[in-house]
Amino acid sequence: MGNILFVFGLVLIIGLPKTVLFFTRRPKLKGTAAFTGGVVLILLRWPLIGFLIELYGIFILFGDFFATMGSFAGNIPVIGPYLQKAFNRASQASGGRKNAELPV
């Protein structure tokens, strides 16, 4: 249920046209299919497999945001530099586009 609310929250924040555009871009279609398939599998009572597929879809869809989250997390005292390194590695693993194609 939280995943569906997440998508509705995204619609409320950036608007319906930008949300549809974000999820239907050619590079994001694989992530959209994985995210939707994971939600369907969870609803069909296959929670572990559905969660893993959905996690893959989220990583594909929102991997561009990892660099932004890393720069923000770097300002947290004590653990900030470690979090920033982890987010930067995740960003490089997802293609490292550094917000080039973000909807907002």
Side-chain angles (χ1 to χ4, degrees), residues 10-21:
L10 192 62
V11 170
L12 290 174
I13 290 172
I14 66 173
L16 184 62
K18 286 186 179 181
T19 303
V20 170
L21 180 68

Side-chain angles (χ1 to χ4, degrees), residues 2-76:
N3 304 325
I4 298 168
L5 293 175
F6 169 74
V7 173
F8 285 137
L10 192 62
V11 170
L12 290 174
I13 290 172
I14 66 173
L16 184 62
K18 286 186 179 181
T19 303
V20 170
L21 180 68
F22 177 75
F23 282 104
T24 57
R25 286 187 183 154
R26 188 178 239 0
K28 305 284 185 186
L29 286 178
K30 185 166 54 168
T32 301
F35 182 78
T36 305
V39 170
V40 169
L41 284 174
I42 288 172
L43 292 175
L44 293 175
R45 298 184 183 207
W46 287 68
L48 182 61
I49 296 171
F51 174 73
L52 293 174
I53 292 172
E54 188 177 339
L55 190 63
Y56 172 74
I58 288 173
F59 186 72
I60 297 296
L61 284 170
F62 300 103
D64 301 340
F65 292 106
F66 287 140
T68 303
M69 289 188 290
S71 64
F72 177 76
N75 295 328
I76 298 173

